[in-house]
Amino acid sequence: MAATMQDVATLAGVSVKTVSNVVNDYPYVRPETRERVMSAIAELGYQLNASARNLRRGRTGLIGLALPMLSLPYFAELAESVIAAAEERGLVVVIEQTGDDRGREMDALHGSRRTVTDGLIFSPLALGPEDEHLLPTRPPLVLLGERVFSDRVDHVTMRNTEAAKAATEHLLSVGRRRIAVVGVHPGEKVGSAALRVTGYEQALREAGIALDPALYGTAGPWGRAAGAQALAQILDAGAVPDAVFGLNDTLAIGAMHELQTRGLRVPEDVAIIGFDDIEEAQYSAPTLTSVHFGRDDIARSAVDLLEARITGAAGAPRRVDAAFQISVRASTGGAGGRASVPT
Amino acid sequence: MAATMQDVATLAGVSVKTVSNVVNDYPYVRPETRERVMSAIAELGYQLNASARNLRRGRTGLIGLALPMLSLPYFAELAESVIAAAEERGLVVVIEQTGDDRGREMDALHGSRRTVTDGLIFSPLALGPEDEHLLPTRPPLVLLGERVFSDRVDHVTMRNTEAAKAATEHLLSVGRRRIAVVGVHPGEKVGSAALRVTGYEQALREAGIALDPALYGTAGPWGRAAGAQALAQILDAGAVPDAVFGLNDTLAIGAMHELQTRGLRVPEDVAIIGFDDIEEAQYSAPTLTSVHFGRDDIARSAVDLLEARITGAAGAPRRVDAAFQISVRASTGGAGGRASVPT
DNA sequence: TTGTAGGCGTTATCAG
DNA sequence: CTGATAACGCCTACAA
């Protein structure tokens, strides 16, 4: 059996409370007592039992991170940042993959996992604004993105509309006029897709360009295959875009692949911009211009909000807006680097 | 306060033991009793306290997954599969990112996280065979890959040498002779890099081709940037390869990017093959031929081995070899699809 | 088939 | 500054 506090206490000739004080860095312990306890701990190879502490404290030190799936690079990179940010605060992250499935998202929100974790950072994909009423506020929750919005819950948002507008304006600024958009979710009103499409339309409208339904490519899941397929449909229908706005980078890369398969040149024939600025954007051929958000900032904000809520230090639900800029690369004729755009 | 078993028992007019029996699906409970307990649970919104159960049972239901980082697509995809496989068995996965850092890998093996989890699936990158002695056997451990090997521990291995040999033979079969290899770790003897290079060398030797030091590109971390840089060094030194073997896909994609930047055509001037067959390989331009291992099989094997070890059902340490095949795509002149190769 | 008693290892309370 | 003692909520014997 593993050594317990009692064993340590006996060996050190003190009470368990004193051992506990030492383990928890309670300041009022005499140095020599602390010394004695420390060496007893070392001698026995004592390790604190997390379950017992959790039971006593009523917390687990675990936070959940619910996202669609890790094989989508954006979410993998987000998870990496969240895990790192949580670790800085002594929190351990449990990832739950909801796979764009409504039932699984509900489960992440209400299922038994919630009792194991102290709180949840949730990036929804299937749930929509009509589900706002079923967002539980009781086990702490932080929402990422704007698919679902509620003033009862903390949010980290991404100003999708402004960023998408800036992306479209970038394409306009390099002389493109027939800009296709891939990854559209028809009928959706408030998800990332809809918000980004709104920004796209705002930019065109302000530039005096009519919206063309033939340039809208729909795609359910936002993967490479979907991007390729969405663009294929646009092209097969006879449309001739001179630019493509991928609502995320994987869609853009799929679309780029489809263009190249058909012998079209990027950016000469068709310019492309993506969204998220995943690492892959720097190594595609050509490199992909993209909208860049600070993932680490987003992750840190989310973890901070959640921790404040868990410890009860938080007041009214807060909202944090993440900043963005356009990383201009070869797919829109740029050389590289990252151009600053006021946010 | 949240309801406890005692509350449920009182409301249902039974003892806590009966509630416990119901919650744990103990078979010998009279249906009407079960019914009564169930409705009391529903009425109170009772949820089992995981910490208390863990303390009592001496287990947490958590397993760790230690890997370099999630932003490397191969590890993100692996994590996805491991989480899914674990979920099927009612286990929750905690990811620890070691970032190719020896200290962090040691910590994953021995640190305080180990007391929170029931076992660890560990994909080492920094530790080497000389560290075999410090592999703890006590909290259950399953090793992925062949960087470290010990007959005291369960392993899931990948036949790196055979697979790399097959990859090289594929390049030979399409007429290439000056095959560069990128991602080499000089001096390393038993890691993935060394094993794959061994396979590469075996294939060349059997084909009667002399090894050329000028065609070896070294790279520490296996990312896209490293692949691009490694190939750049080879080319800058004046070597003229007609093919590149990337020791993983991200290296291969980085190398491909470097070739295209310099105006070389793939596969006409230089053919490329990668290793791991990440999803991105299907959408690069051109699509990337790669060595394919069944990630889901690897993940399932690892979780099974670990679970058996945790429950004490396991005997002597076991070793599971994952099967592979070559997915032939455009980067070596193929059209697509996945050619079977006997493993 | 169900109830009772006790303890898992820790921390909080409250003296001393 | 340190010690005794009582929970935290559940599960495992054992008994009934």
Side-chain angles (χ1 to χ4, degrees):
Chain A
M1 274 322 291
T4 76
M5 262 189 187
Q6 187 55 253
D7 300 332
V8 175
T10 306
L11 180 59
V14 298
S15 76
V16 283
K17 173 59 181 159
T18 302
V19 178
S20 175
N21 286 341
V22 170
V23 169
N24 292 286
D25 289 320
Y26 182 69
Y28 305 116
V29 178
R30 223 187 313 158
E32 62 183 68
T33 308
R34 180 184 303 275
E35 190 56 44
R36 208 139 34 89
V37 172
M38 294 294 262
S39 62
I41 286 176
E43 186 174 337
L44 294 173
Y46 166 76
Q47 297 208 287
L48 187 116
N49 180 313
S51 294
R53 162 182 280 188
N54 293 340
L55 172 60
R56 188 60 241 219
R57 289 198 177 163
R59 294 223 241 123
T60 65
L62 257 41
I63 63 175
L65 173 62
L67 42 74
M69 44 190 146
L70 285 175
S71 60
L72 296 180
Y74 173 72
F75 291 107
E77 294 183 11
L78 178 66
E80 173 172 300
S81 295
V82 169
I83 291 172
E87 189 178 330
E88 287 175 11
R89 284 158 189 71
L91 294 170
V92 174
V93 176
V94 167
I95 293 174
E96 183 159 8
Q97 303 189 98
T98 56
D100 194 15
D101 179 79
R102 197 185 151 78
R104 295 178 65 96
E105 292 197 345
M106 299 279 273
D107 194 63
L109 244 22
H110 301 280
S112 59
R113 277 290 216 308
R114 289 310 296 276
T115 64
V116 182
T117 51
D118 294 335
L120 177 68
I121 296 174
F122 181 32
S123 181
L125 203 54
L127 294 187
E130 70 280 8
D131 300 308
E132 195 228 301
H133 64 281
L134 50 77
L135 290 178
T137 169
R138 290 225 326 256
L141 174 68
V142 171
L143 249 31
L144 258 35
E146 297 101 319
R147 270 205 68 88
V148 191
F149 208 87
S150 164
D151 52 16
R152 298 176 291 117
V153 177
D154 292 305
H155 285 259
V156 179
T157 59
M158 288 161 213
R159 310 215 304 157
N160 279 285
T161 302
E162 291 91 327
K165 186 178 173 205
T168 309
E169 285 167 349
H170 172 68
L171 292 173
L172 292 168
S173 77
V174 295
R176 308 304 163 128
R177 288 297 176 269
R178 298 187 310 281
I179 303 174
V181 53
V182 308
V184 179
H185 289 173
E188 195 182 277
K189 292 276 182 264
V190 191
S192 296
L195 293 171
R196 292 176 194 177
V197 169
T198 299
Y200 160 83
E201 293 174 346
Q202 280 180 9
L204 291 186
R205 200 168 290 125
E206 289 183 13
I209 297 176
L211 304 180
D212 180 354
L215 294 176
Y216 285 65
T218 69
W222 278 1
R224 297 178 186 87
Q229 196 186 339
L231 187 66
Q233 283 180 357
I234 291 175
L235 298 177
D236 288 342
V240 187
D242 59 10
V244 174
F245 174 21
L247 294 183
N248 82 354
D249 286 341
T250 43
L251 286 165
I253 285 167
M256 184 151 79
H257 177 250
E258 183 65 24
L259 287 168
Q260 291 169 328
T261 299
R262 293 171 181 238
L264 291 164
R265 294 167 305 159
V266 177
E268 294 82 352
D269 300 320
V270 183
I272 303 190
I273 190 168
F275 202 106
D276 289 342
D277 200 13
I278 61 177
E279 203 203 342
E280 188 180 341
Q282 300 170 44
Y283 293 93
S284 58
T287 55
L288 180 69
T289 296
S290 189
V291 177
H292 177 94
F293 283 88
R295 300 193 266 128
D296 287 334
D297 294 338
I298 291 173
R300 212 183 317 271
S301 298
V303 172
D304 284 346
L305 287 173
L306 190 63
E307 193 186 30
R309 192 63 59 192
I310 290 170
T311 59
R318 285 178 293 167
R319 171 179 166 160
V320 176
D321 269 319
F324 68 88
Q325 46 191 182
I326 307 281
S327 297
V328 179
R329 301 206 181 83
S331 72
T332 59
R338 181 177 297 162
S340 263
V341 165
T343 65
Chain B
M1 276 320 293
T4 77
M5 261 192 189
Q6 187 54 254
D7 300 332
V8 175
T10 307
L11 180 58
V14 298
S15 77
V16 284
K17 170 60 179 159
T18 303
V19 179
S20 174
N21 285 342
V22 170
V23 169
N24 292 288
D25 289 318
Y26 183 67
Y28 307 115
V29 178
R30 223 185 312 157
E32 61 184 69
T33 308
R34 180 185 301 274
E35 189 57 42
R36 208 140 35 90
V37 172
M38 293 295 262
S39 61
I41 287 176
E43 186 174 335
L44 294 173
Y46 167 75
Q47 299 208 286
L48 189 122
N49 180 314
S51 295
R53 164 183 280 188
N54 292 339
L55 173 58
R56 191 56 244 234
R57 295 223 244 229
R59 292 225 240 123
T60 65
L62 258 41
I63 62 174
L65 173 62
L67 42 74
M69 45 190 143
L70 285 175
S71 59
L72 297 180
Y74 172 73
F75 291 107
E77 295 183 10
L78 178 67
E80 173 171 299
S81 295
V82 169
I83 290 172
E87 189 178 329
E88 287 175 12
R89 284 160 189 71
L91 294 170
V92 175
V93 177
V94 167
I95 293 174
E96 182 159 9
Q97 303 187 99
T98 56
D100 192 15
D101 180 80
R102 195 185 153 79
R104 294 180 65 96
E105 292 198 345
M106 299 279 274
D107 194 62
L109 243 23
H110 302 278
S112 59
R113 279 288 214 309
R114 289 308 298 277
T115 64
V116 182
T117 52
D118 294 335
L120 178 68
I121 295 175
F122 181 33
S123 180
L125 204 54
L127 294 188
E130 71 279 9
D131 300 308
E132 195 227 300
H133 65 281
L134 49 78
L135 290 178
T137 171
R138 289 224 329 257
L141 174 68
V142 171
L143 247 32
L144 258 34
E146 297 100 319
R147 269 206 70 87
V148 191
F149 209 87
S150 164
D151 51 16
R152 297 176 294 118
V153 176
D154 293 306
H155 284 259
V156 178
T157 58
M158 289 163 210
R159 310 215 302 157
N160 279 287
T161 301
E162 291 91 327
K165 186 179 173 205
T168 309
E169 284 166 349
H170 172 69
L171 292 173
L172 292 168
S173 77
V174 295
R176 309 301 165 130
R177 289 296 175 271
R178 297 187 309 284
I179 303 173
V181 53
V182 308
V184 179
H185 289 172
E188 194 183 278
K189 292 275 181 267
V190 191
S192 296
L195 293 172
R196 292 177 193 176
V197 169
T198 299
Y200 159 84
E201 292 174 346
Q202 281 179 9
L204 291 186
R205 200 169 290 124
E206 288 183 14
I209 297 176
L211 304 181
D212 181 354
L215 294 175
Y216 285 63
T218 68
W222 278 1
R224 296 180 187 83
Q229 196 185 339
L231 188 66
Q233 283 180 357
I234 290 175
L235 297 176
D236 288 342
V240 187
D242 60 10
V244 174
F245 174 22
L247 293 182
N248 83 354
D249 286 341
T250 41
L251 286 166
I253 286 168
M256 185 151 77
H257 178 251
E258 183 66 23
L259 286 169
Q260 291 169 328
T261 299
R262 293 170 181 240
L264 291 164
R265 294 167 306 161
V266 178
E268 293 83 352
D269 299 322
V270 183
I272 302 190
I273 190 167
F275 201 107
D276 290 341
D277 201 13
I278 61 176
E279 203 203 341
E280 189 179 340
Q282 299 170 46
Y283 293 92
S284 58
T287 56
L288 180 69
T289 297
S290 188
V291 177
H292 177 93
F293 282 89
R295 296 193 270 127
D296 288 333
D297 295 338
I298 291 174
R300 212 182 316 272
S301 299
V303 173
D304 284 347
L305 288 173
L306 189 62
E307 193 187 29
R309 192 62 59 192
I310 290 170
T311 60
R318 285 178 294 167
R319 172 179 167 160
V320 175
D321 269 320
F324 68 88
Q325 46 191 180
I326 307 282
S327 296
V328 179
R329 302 207 181 84
S331 71
T332 58
R338 183 177 296 163
S340 263
V341 164
T343 65

